[in-house]
Structure formats: structure tokens, C-alpha cells
Amino acid sequence: MYPKKELAQIVISACAQFNIETVVVSPGSRNAPLTIGFSSHKEIETLSVVDERCAAFFALGIAQQTRKPVAVLCTSGSALLNYYPAVAEAFYSNIPLVIISADRPKHLIDIGDGQTIRQENVFANHILFSANLIENPKYKTRNSQLIGEALQVAISQQGPVHINVPFDEPLYETVPVLKAYNFPHISLSSLDNSHINYEKLSKSWNVAEKKMILVGVNYPDADLHSLMDLYAEDDSVLILTETTSNLHHDKAIDSIDQLIFSL
Amino acid sequence: MIISKRIKKFLRDYQPKEHWNIDARKATNTFLCLSEFIQIKPVDFFSHFNEFIRPLKSDYQPKWIAFRDERREKHLAYLKSIKYSDFSVFEQALNAIPESCQLQISNSSIIRYAQLFSMKATVNIFCNRGTSGIDGSTSTAIGAAYATEQQTVFITGDLSFFYDGNGLWNSNIPKNFRIIIINNSGGGIFRIIPGPKATNAAQYFETPHCLTAEYLCKMHQLEYQKAYSTETVIKELSRFFETSEKPKILEIFTPSAENDLVLKDYFKYIQ
């Protein structure tokens, strides 16, 4: 069972095409078209969490481990604002989190309707991309492009994006199938490392008698670990590893705070 | 992201000649003296850079490693000497967690305590350090537990835990998920950092309380264990990681009036 609304079909189809495997759904009516569609989709797992703040952090925990985007879906109004703490965390921790919020169409905002707030760009300060969709067949291409770009940014830049989806009533009409839509794959140039001037850097490295490698938040990485073996052999290199660096070495200082006192 | 406030302050006060920040995403001028932002994954940088560098004779590393070893010994000696407190409980908990698991740590004083201990190399450690908030640690840990095969253990303070109490309102918590709450009846960090205690508004910082997780556990149908002394902690931990039909919580009550003194004395002792 899929939503009759074309805009909802486009959002679901895009998520499937960009391999969003998990959507954490919080209850509501305005998001019903998407809730119905996501829960019907065989390749998308839907998990239900009522409290949006918890839902977003739950999704963040999943994405922290899989390093693949996880979506959260909520209804309109203050529900969306409860995502904000997790959005900020995702922004600063580089975790791909896709926020999908249902909204009312523009003409129903600020005229006294319930569960209605100004949702467009609401995370402006801590988001990588905001897609403000419009429910109108003439904006179909624009909507598809915005959704595609949002998902691609979340994946390639590993951070939070927001897709705001306004729906007019009726919200519960369904059709049996999900149509196939095409989303442009924007070509993203991969990180170009040619700008790094190792020669120049090595000049100052090779004469410095004291070099400190300080490792902060980092995923477990066996290759980095074996590289540190090489660097630790150099007496002029001191390796400091924080608890969240997930790096362990015999010649590293792993409890930094034991060593530093105000002088 | 760097957690240690001490190393941040040290490197801001005594700035290095050069600071290179190696990160695939963005530059962070943590020590206010950034000279090179090298936009690449650290592992890629170090593997390339290795071809360009040569070792240098220096007493820098040996001196600090010797210093580290001294402090480590003092750390262990201090642990043997202290009474029951957050500090002693933290050591007990770390020793008891399974050899191979994922450890999620809440913010504030818990991550600060964690920074003082050497961790098992087989344990992967995560903490929400993007914003360092106490607001979603339980929910994040549950999400991480749900997404990994490995058993997940979450160590949290009482304030973080109660703040995100709704995190347990989730039907996808794996059975082998374990939460250890170190309940010192308030925001212990505000007794540790200088400032709040000297004011006339200490209770608004520390927010002392008498809450326990027991009824929250009942409501959300988690198994509940509690401990309140070194002996009871040993006893409860010994069966805490056994397989179970439900996720479990171990709530360890510590004396709020003594925790900060134990930590302060620690820094005096190891110096």
C-alpha cells in the first residue's frame, strides 16, 4: 500500500534509490503518506519511536555505527524542533542523518492552524542542505532535484540534511504501487589530495625535535594502528591518544589528563 | 574533536610552533594557532607522509613515556588506597565489561573519568562529542547497540540518564544491551569543577535529587540490579553480563559528598 500523493511517492522512491535502509518514524497525521509508504517498502526497515528527540538520537546511533544515512520522519509542528539536538550532534560529529518532516502547505502557515510552525530552513545553522519541497505537479522536477541533492550530500559529506515535505489534505488515500522515478546523480568530485605538499611538510617535520601526534575522536582503524608502529619508533614523536580515538599503542600516552597539570 | 580540557588549555597557553590539523572534513583551530589544515583521512596522510620523513634522535618520547609509566603506577596505587566512590566504581565497571564489546559513554563527568583509565584495546569506544550534550546519550547508545552485532555497554551518569529517560521507550533494544548508571544523586561535574560550589546557588548547578532508575526499568520492562558498596558492586557485576531475556540496568549509588574529594586527591597524589 503506497500513498496516492505523488510528492510522497517521490520522497520514498528517492530514499530507496539512494539506499536508505532505515527510517525511524514518529507518529502523526501530516506524515501519514510517508509513514504508509515507508512501512510498505520491502527494502526499507521502519522503526517506531514516539519521542522525536529520542528518535533522532536513536537514528544517530545507528548511523554512527553503519556510517550510512538513516532517516527520521515526523509530523508537522514542534515535533520537528525536537530533532534539533541530534541534528547539531550529527553536524559536528559528521554523521549522516536525513531529517524528513511533514508540513502544511504555505498558505496554511501562520493563520491559526494547529501543529503549524515555520519549518522551512529551521535547522539553517547546523545543516548541510535544506530541501524545501512544494506540493504541486509543476514543481516535480525541482522537488526531485532537491531531494536527490539532499541525499547525495548526506552520503558524500556525512552529515545532517533536512527535507521538508508539505502535504495538503486528504492524507490517507492510497494506491497499490510505488512508481519508479529517476533522480539525477550529481557528479561530485572526490576529495583531491594532490594539493598536499608532503615535501614541504617534511622539511619542517624532519628538523623538529619534538613532534606530538594528538589523536581525538576516531573510528577503530587497523591500518592507522599499524602506521603508528612506524611513527612510534621515532624518539622525537610523542603519540597522545584520547579515550575516543580507538587507537591503542604501547608507546602512546592514553591518559592525557594524568600528565598535565597547571604549572 | 579533542576531549581533554587540560591538553587544550596546555596547547593554547604554550602554543606549538606549528599545528597541523589532519581531517577529511573540516578544519578546527582548537589551539588557536592552526598553521596547516591538511584535508585528508589521517590514515592516508600518515601512510604517504611516511615516505618523506626520517627519524630524529631526541629524548622527547623516552622522557614522556617514563613520566607516563610513573603516573600509571601511582594511578594503580591510588586506586588501591581509596574508598568507595565514583572513581573506584568506574574502575570496577571497566574491569568487568566483556573483553570484546562496544562501550558507549555519556558526557560530562563520566567521559572525564574515562579519560583517566587505560582502556582494553579490544573495546571500541564512542561518545557524543560533537556537541558534548547530555541530552541523547542513552538513545544514541541504543541506536548503536541496535546496529552492531557486538554487545554494547553504556556507562552513564544519573543526570544524563534521567534526562534521556524516554530513550528506553523503544521496542528495539537488544537483549544483550547493558546500562551501568553511576548515580551520585546529582550533577557530579559541578562538584568537581571549580566555581559552582563557591556560589550561593550550588543547588542550581548540581541539582541534587533522590531519583532511582528502578521504576523506569519496571515501566520499560528492563531487568534492574543495584549496588551501593564495593562488595555489592562486585556481586552484581559478576552476573550482570550473563545472557538474559531482557536488556539490563545496573544502578550503582555513590556518595556525592565524597566523590569530588577522591578525584581532587587523585590529582594531588599522582603529581
Side-chain angles (χ1 to χ4, degrees), chain A residues 54-67:
Chain A
C54 299
F57 275 112
F58 176 63
L60 179 111
I62 298 173
Q64 175 200 69
Q65 294 304 312
T66 61
R67 300 191 227 178

PDB file of all heavy atoms in Angstrom, chain A residues 54-67:
ATOM      1  N   CYS A  54      14.401  11.488  21.143  1.00  0.00           N
ATOM      2  CA  CYS A  54      14.973  10.145  21.267  1.00  0.00           C
ATOM      3  C   CYS A  54      15.098   9.481  19.899  1.00  0.00           C
ATOM      4  O   CYS A  54      16.091   8.801  19.619  1.00  0.00           O
ATOM      5  CB  CYS A  54      14.105   9.279  22.170  1.00  0.00           C
ATOM      6  SG  CYS A  54      13.953   9.921  23.835  1.00  0.00           S
ATOM      7  N   ALA A  55      14.090   9.680  19.062  1.00  0.00           N
ATOM      8  CA  ALA A  55      14.089   9.062  17.725  1.00  0.00           C
ATOM      9  C   ALA A  55      15.316   9.498  16.935  1.00  0.00           C
ATOM     10  O   ALA A  55      15.991   8.685  16.301  1.00  0.00           O
ATOM     11  CB  ALA A  55      12.810   9.426  16.982  1.00  0.00           C
ATOM     12  N   ALA A  56      15.602  10.793  16.992  1.00  0.00           N
ATOM     13  CA  ALA A  56      16.721  11.313  16.205  1.00  0.00           C
ATOM     14  C   ALA A  56      18.059  10.822  16.752  1.00  0.00           C
ATOM     15  O   ALA A  56      18.962  10.477  15.989  1.00  0.00           O
ATOM     16  CB  ALA A  56      16.681  12.835  16.177  1.00  0.00           C
ATOM     17  N   PHE A  57      18.191  10.767  18.085  1.00  0.00           N
ATOM     18  CA  PHE A  57      19.442  10.249  18.655  1.00  0.00           C
ATOM     19  C   PHE A  57      19.575   8.745  18.405  1.00  0.00           C
ATOM     20  O   PHE A  57      20.672   8.241  18.188  1.00  0.00           O
ATOM     21  CB  PHE A  57      19.535  10.554  20.153  1.00  0.00           C
ATOM     22  CG  PHE A  57      20.093  11.925  20.449  1.00  0.00           C
ATOM     23  CD1 PHE A  57      19.301  12.916  20.998  1.00  0.00           C
ATOM     24  CD2 PHE A  57      21.420  12.224  20.170  1.00  0.00           C
ATOM     25  CE1 PHE A  57      19.818  14.184  21.272  1.00  0.00           C
ATOM     26  CE2 PHE A  57      21.951  13.480  20.440  1.00  0.00           C
ATOM     27  CZ  PHE A  57      21.141  14.460  20.991  1.00  0.00           C
ATOM     28  N   PHE A  58      18.456   8.038  18.439  1.00  0.00           N
ATOM     29  CA  PHE A  58      18.461   6.609  18.128  1.00  0.00           C
ATOM     30  C   PHE A  58      18.974   6.404  16.695  1.00  0.00           C
ATOM     31  O   PHE A  58      19.871   5.588  16.441  1.00  0.00           O
ATOM     32  CB  PHE A  58      17.044   6.056  18.308  1.00  0.00           C
ATOM     33  CG  PHE A  58      16.859   4.617  17.931  1.00  0.00           C
ATOM     34  CD1 PHE A  58      17.535   3.607  18.596  1.00  0.00           C
ATOM     35  CD2 PHE A  58      15.973   4.267  16.916  1.00  0.00           C
ATOM     36  CE1 PHE A  58      17.340   2.268  18.247  1.00  0.00           C
ATOM     37  CE2 PHE A  58      15.775   2.940  16.562  1.00  0.00           C
ATOM     38  CZ  PHE A  58      16.466   1.932  17.223  1.00  0.00           C
ATOM     39  N   ALA A  59      18.434   7.179  15.776  1.00  0.00           N
ATOM     40  CA  ALA A  59      18.870   7.105  14.376  1.00  0.00           C
ATOM     41  C   ALA A  59      20.352   7.469  14.259  1.00  0.00           C
ATOM     42  O   ALA A  59      21.105   6.845  13.511  1.00  0.00           O
ATOM     43  CB  ALA A  59      18.023   8.044  13.523  1.00  0.00           C
ATOM     44  N   LEU A  60      20.757   8.481  15.020  1.00  0.00           N
ATOM     45  CA  LEU A  60      22.157   8.908  15.013  1.00  0.00           C
ATOM     46  C   LEU A  60      23.080   7.776  15.479  1.00  0.00           C
ATOM     47  O   LEU A  60      24.158   7.556  14.920  1.00  0.00           O
ATOM     48  CB  LEU A  60      22.310  10.126  15.931  1.00  0.00           C
ATOM     49  CG  LEU A  60      23.704  10.725  16.086  1.00  0.00           C
ATOM     50  CD1 LEU A  60      23.750  12.089  15.424  1.00  0.00           C
ATOM     51  CD2 LEU A  60      24.106  10.863  17.526  1.00  0.00           C
ATOM     52  N   GLY A  61      22.628   7.034  16.491  1.00  0.00           N
ATOM     53  CA  GLY A  61      23.420   5.903  16.989  1.00  0.00           C
ATOM     54  C   GLY A  61      23.573   4.824  15.923  1.00  0.00           C
ATOM     55  O   GLY A  61      24.647   4.241  15.767  1.00  0.00           O
ATOM     56  N   ILE A  62      22.512   4.580  15.179  1.00  0.00           N
ATOM     57  CA  ILE A  62      22.578   3.587  14.101  1.00  0.00           C
ATOM     58  C   ILE A  62      23.561   4.061  13.025  1.00  0.00           C
ATOM     59  O   ILE A  62      24.462   3.338  12.606  1.00  0.00           O
ATOM     60  CB  ILE A  62      21.184   3.338  13.478  1.00  0.00           C
ATOM     61  CG1 ILE A  62      20.219   2.779  14.531  1.00  0.00           C
ATOM     62  CG2 ILE A  62      21.279   2.391  12.275  1.00  0.00           C
ATOM     63  CD1 ILE A  62      18.774   2.655  14.049  1.00  0.00           C
ATOM     64  N   ALA A  63      23.393   5.331  12.619  1.00  0.00           N
ATOM     65  CA  ALA A  63      24.252   5.873  11.555  1.00  0.00           C
ATOM     66  C   ALA A  63      25.706   5.991  12.017  1.00  0.00           C
ATOM     67  O   ALA A  63      26.629   5.848  11.214  1.00  0.00           O
ATOM     68  CB  ALA A  63      23.734   7.231  11.102  1.00  0.00           C
ATOM     69  N   GLN A  64      25.908   6.234  13.306  1.00  0.00           N
ATOM     70  CA  GLN A  64      27.270   6.298  13.859  1.00  0.00           C
ATOM     71  C   GLN A  64      27.995   4.978  13.593  1.00  0.00           C
ATOM     72  O   GLN A  64      29.172   4.947  13.278  1.00  0.00           O
ATOM     73  CB  GLN A  64      27.174   6.549  15.366  1.00  0.00           C
ATOM     74  CG  GLN A  64      28.477   6.526  16.132  1.00  0.00           C
ATOM     75  CD  GLN A  64      28.216   6.303  17.631  1.00  0.00           C
ATOM     76  OE1 GLN A  64      27.799   5.230  18.048  1.00  0.00           O
ATOM     77  NE2 GLN A  64      28.426   7.346  18.410  1.00  0.00           N
ATOM     78  N   GLN A  65      27.258   3.870  13.695  1.00  0.00           N
ATOM     79  CA  GLN A  65      27.866   2.564  13.511  1.00  0.00           C
ATOM     80  C   GLN A  65      27.934   2.140  12.051  1.00  0.00           C
ATOM     81  O   GLN A  65      28.941   1.599  11.603  1.00  0.00           O
ATOM     82  CB  GLN A  65      27.110   1.507  14.327  1.00  0.00           C
ATOM     83  CG  GLN A  65      27.239   1.713  15.827  1.00  0.00           C
ATOM     84  CD  GLN A  65      28.684   1.761  16.284  1.00  0.00           C
ATOM     85  OE1 GLN A  65      29.484   0.910  15.916  1.00  0.00           O
ATOM     86  NE2 GLN A  65      29.037   2.776  17.065  1.00  0.00           N
ATOM     87  N   THR A  66      26.865   2.353  11.297  1.00  0.00           N
ATOM     88  CA  THR A  66      26.839   1.871   9.904  1.00  0.00           C
ATOM     89  C   THR A  66      27.543   2.838   8.956  1.00  0.00           C
ATOM     90  O   THR A  66      27.941   2.455   7.869  1.00  0.00           O
ATOM     91  CB  THR A  66      25.400   1.694   9.406  1.00  0.00           C
ATOM     92  OG1 THR A  66      24.744   2.968   9.448  1.00  0.00           O
ATOM     93  CG2 THR A  66      24.624   0.709  10.279  1.00  0.00           C
ATOM     94  N   ARG A  67      27.649   4.094   9.374  1.00  0.00           N
ATOM     95  CA  ARG A  67      28.190   5.191   8.554  1.00  0.00           C
ATOM     96  C   ARG A  67      27.423   5.345   7.246  1.00  0.00           C
ATOM     97  O   ARG A  67      27.939   5.797   6.237  1.00  0.00           O
ATOM     98  CB  ARG A  67      29.685   5.014   8.309  1.00  0.00           C
ATOM     99  CG  ARG A  67      30.447   5.002   9.617  1.00  0.00           C
ATOM    100  CD  ARG A  67      31.927   5.090   9.396  1.00  0.00           C
ATOM    101  NE  ARG A  67      32.633   4.104  10.183  1.00  0.00           N
ATOM    102  CZ  ARG A  67      33.947   3.940  10.159  1.00  0.00           C
ATOM    103  NH1 ARG A  67      34.691   4.678   9.377  1.00  0.00           N
ATOM    104  NH2 ARG A  67      34.508   3.027  10.916  1.00  0.00           N
TER     105      ARG A  67
END
